[in-house]
Amino acid sequence: MRKITIGSLAAAAALLVPLGIGTATAATPATATFSKASDWGSGFEGKVTVKAGTGALSSWKVEFDLPAGTSISSAWDADMTKSGDHYTFVNKAWNGSLAAGASVSFGFNGAPGGLSGVLNCKLNGAACDGTGNPGPTPTPTVTPTVDPTPTPTVTPTVDPDPSGKKIVGYFTEWGTYDRKFQVKNLVDNGSAAKLTHILYAFGNTSGGRCSVGDAYAAYEKSFTAENSVDGVADTWDAPLRGNFNQLRKLKAKYPHIKLIWSFGGWTWSGGFTQAAANPAAFADSCHALLNDPRWAGLFDGIDIDWEYPNACGLTCDTSGPNAFKNLISALRAKFGPGKLVTAAITADGSTGGKIDATDYAGAISNLDWLMPMTYDYFGAFNAQGPTAPHSPLTSYPGIPKDGFNSDAAIQKLTSKGIPASKLLLGIGFYGRGWSGVTQAAPGGTATGPAPGTYEQGIEDYKVLKTKCPATGTVGGTAYAFCGGNWWSYDTPATIAGKMAYAKSRGLGGAFFWETSGDTTDGELITAIANGLK
């Protein structure tokens, strides 16, 4: 046995100190941080992010003062009360509990612009910057000696857009047929690396319930190795095939992508009228479908594409202005805070138009974001014209209808108290066109729709860019005149302008219809991604 001396004990103790034995990890306090999402001079959109420290939070309350003459008119994701210039925000029932290190944000609109910060901010009675907010008592930790065997490191998933803007694209279920656009094409054309979210279109709403649109395309069709995301062919006895299995493989390869199942659309919106009569039953059916054991865990949320609540689309709905709000509330209650709930809505910015028919602002606290469909304003559904761009960003002299442009829709929605950060700008990856046109400038007469590959009056951008190249721009988008046909569509250049607009207005990002219309090297989605940086 080796003899232990007093000196050797002292030396051993000295060696222990650098290893951290008996040292304590300092507690990190909870904080609340104010930032300004956008400012348009006459008003502003603010955001406060609450972050738990070393200990979890079971609830939170943020309060602060504003400079005299500045006021807040509306808030979301928190309950607001005010007394003079003092404002208090308390968590909702679904976002009060925060695990250690987790964060949540709430927002508000106010006036006038120019606010640089808030005053006397407190989080649960302590300073918002963490001073005077001690957190839990630190627990002693032991730092182990270094193992000579290297520990594998995990590379974190990087959001495709470091700005945090959303890039959301529709993937159509039926694209697997005539269009031959498969999930693998999202890898081949570079879209998968740029998308933050995919909307799978569409689920059906017949009978006021969520149901599968096309079972064969969704989960039965077998893919060859050549058409499979991972190069592995489906077997006849695989428990899941079809688009769903390919999307599962895509998410494994690109774990940053979130997948949302979209229900309704132009053809299947009629079922929402019955759903609105019993929102809870509708929500139950949707939750059960998204969690079907065959594809459980595939979908990160649900999207409602109701065309249009309390207004007319393919059919007319008379459920009233609260129907949409009630439906979204039921979905949020059923799916909880951990799943995405989104909606594609009308972009009719005219006075007394479809936006005014529904209380979209009343639903926004239960939605992660709204997607006003800022396209299809004009087209050969008016066969004789006048020719006009289907997706104008702004108005222009001679536009056929006031309020039928993207900016009008965004301004109307924000004026109703919907935060700009919860709005995405819509982009069409296609054009709309007329035939029998004699003038290149907008406003000409026509004799009918221009011929298209799959449908008269509509053509993919990937075809139009060479078939009928752009000859001019109007209202922030492009148009083309060739051989008596007049087309309007967005190009990489006009998309860059629209993304600059989205950033200047503080929008949450952009979405597009739909993935198969882009070029094989992803020209349009690249323009969106670059424009939002």
Side-chain angles (χ1 to χ4, degrees):
M1 177 182 291
R2 183 182 176 191
K3 184 179 179 181
I4 305 296
T5 65
I6 297 297
S8 62
L9 282 172
L15 288 173
L16 287 175
V17 173
L19 297 180
I21 294 179
T23 60
T25 301
T28 302
T31 58
T33 306
F34 167 80
S35 61
K36 189 161 56 174
S38 61
D39 193 315
W40 52 95
S42 60
F44 67 90
E45 179 188 330
K47 181 174 78 170
V48 171
T49 300
V50 177
K51 184 175 182 180
T54 306
L57 294 178
S58 58
S59 62
W60 48 263
K61 179 175 74 171
V62 175
E63 50 188 319
F64 54 74
D65 298 322
L66 290 182
T70 302
S71 62
I72 294 174
S73 57
S74 61
W76 53 95
D77 297 337
D79 293 322
M80 181 183 78
T81 57
K82 62 174 292 187
S83 176
D85 293 327
H86 188 77
Y87 291 81
T88 301
F89 301 85
V90 178
N91 62 268
K92 296 283 191 180
W94 52 269
N95 66 356
S97 179
L98 293 177
S103 61
V104 68
S105 296
F106 65 90
F108 43 84
N109 284 338
L115 180 69
S116 59
V118 300
L119 308 171
N120 306 317
C121 184
K122 292 184 178 181
L123 168 60
N124 290 347
C128 285
D129 63 2
T131 58
N133 190 349
T137 302
T139 302
T141 59
V142 176
T143 305
T145 56
V146 178
D147 191 318
T149 303
T151 302
T153 58
V154 178
T155 303
T157 299
V158 179
D159 192 301
D161 180 7
S163 71
K165 299 293 186 184
K166 299 171 184 66
I167 303 173
V168 184
Y170 278 95
F171 180 90
T172 61
E173 188 165 73
W174 57 90
T176 192
Y177 298 123
D178 290 347
R179 288 180 173 271
K180 294 181 171 56
F181 190 88
Q182 318 300 347
V183 176
K184 183 177 184 292
N185 292 109
L186 298 176
V187 179
D188 296 340
N189 69 9
S191 292
K194 301 178 180 73
L195 285 162
T196 61
H197 300 78
I198 294 173
L199 293 164
Y200 187 79
F202 284 110
N204 204 339
T205 62
S206 61
R209 299 176 60 84
C210 283
S211 58
V212 175
D214 179 346
Y216 177 75
Y219 56 85
E220 294 174 355
K221 179 182 177 180
S222 291
F223 282 83
T224 64
E226 181 184 3
N227 290 324
S228 179
V229 168
D230 62 357
V232 178
D234 290 331
T235 59
W236 67 269
D237 58 346
L240 184 68
R241 299 188 298 275
N243 289 330
F244 285 3
N245 188 43
Q246 293 301 308
L247 287 165
R248 176 170 283 171
K249 292 180 177 184
L250 185 76
K251 289 182 68 179
K253 189 177 181 71
Y254 297 90
H256 70 271
I257 293 177
K258 301 296 184 184
L259 181 63
I260 306 170
W261 198 344
S262 183
F263 288 83
W266 181 256
T267 303
W268 286 336
S269 282
F272 284 123
T273 300
Q274 186 173 345
N278 192 341
F282 175 74
D284 287 346
S285 73
C286 300
H287 187 268
L289 182 62
L290 267 67
N291 290 283
D292 186 292
R294 289 169 292 181
W295 50 79
L298 176 61
F299 292 100
D300 299 288
I302 185 171
D303 175 71
I304 299 301
D305 193 338
W306 186 351
E307 303 180 27
Y308 301 97
N310 203 38
C312 294
L314 183 62
T315 59
C316 290
D317 174 74
T318 57
S319 300
N322 294 324
F324 177 80
K325 175 177 66 177
N326 294 340
L327 193 75
I328 296 300
S329 178
L331 288 168
R332 175 57 73 195
K334 186 65 182 180
F335 281 88
K339 293 293 184 180
L340 296 167
V341 180
T342 69
I345 66 169
T346 177
D348 177 0
S350 64
T351 301
K354 290 184 176 67
I355 289 178
D356 290 332
T358 297
D359 184 11
Y360 290 112
I364 197 62
S365 65
N366 287 314
L367 286 162
D368 289 277
W369 65 76
L370 277 174
M371 296 175 288
M373 295 180 282
T374 47
Y375 40 76
D376 291 344
Y377 284 112
F378 307 106
F381 38 81
N382 293 321
Q384 280 70 52
T387 57
H390 81 86
S391 186
L393 175 62
T394 60
S395 187
Y396 62 90
I399 193 168
K401 185 172 176 60
D402 289 339
F404 271 36
N405 63 83
S406 304
D407 181 56
I410 296 298
Q411 290 206 46
K412 180 176 280 287
L413 289 165
T414 55
S415 73
K416 292 178 179 292
I418 295 174
S421 61
K422 283 196 172 186
L423 293 174
L424 308 187
L425 187 66
I427 303 292
F429 279 14
Y430 62 95
R432 284 191 174 272
W434 288 263
S435 63
V437 181
T438 58
Q439 71 177 52
T445 59
T447 59
T453 303
Y454 305 104
E455 181 181 350
Q456 286 190 325
I458 299 178
E459 188 59 272
D460 292 341
Y461 167 77
K462 65 188 178 191
V463 175
L464 288 171
K465 65 168 291 190
T466 53
K467 177 182 177 181
C468 194
T471 54
T473 59
V474 64
T477 189
Y479 64 86
F481 182 63
C482 57
N485 294 323
W486 196 96
W487 291 93
S488 70
Y489 54 90
D490 273 312
T491 65
T494 63
I495 287 175
K498 289 187 172 184
M499 295 306 100
Y501 167 88
K503 290 198 296 184
S504 72
R505 295 289 296 178
L507 304 188
F511 75 101
F512 60 90
W513 179 275
E514 42 86 14
T515 52
S516 72
D518 207 351
T519 60
T520 54
D521 59 351
E523 283 184 19
L524 300 187
I525 192 171
T526 299
I528 291 175
N530 289 341
L532 288 175
K533 289 179 180 177

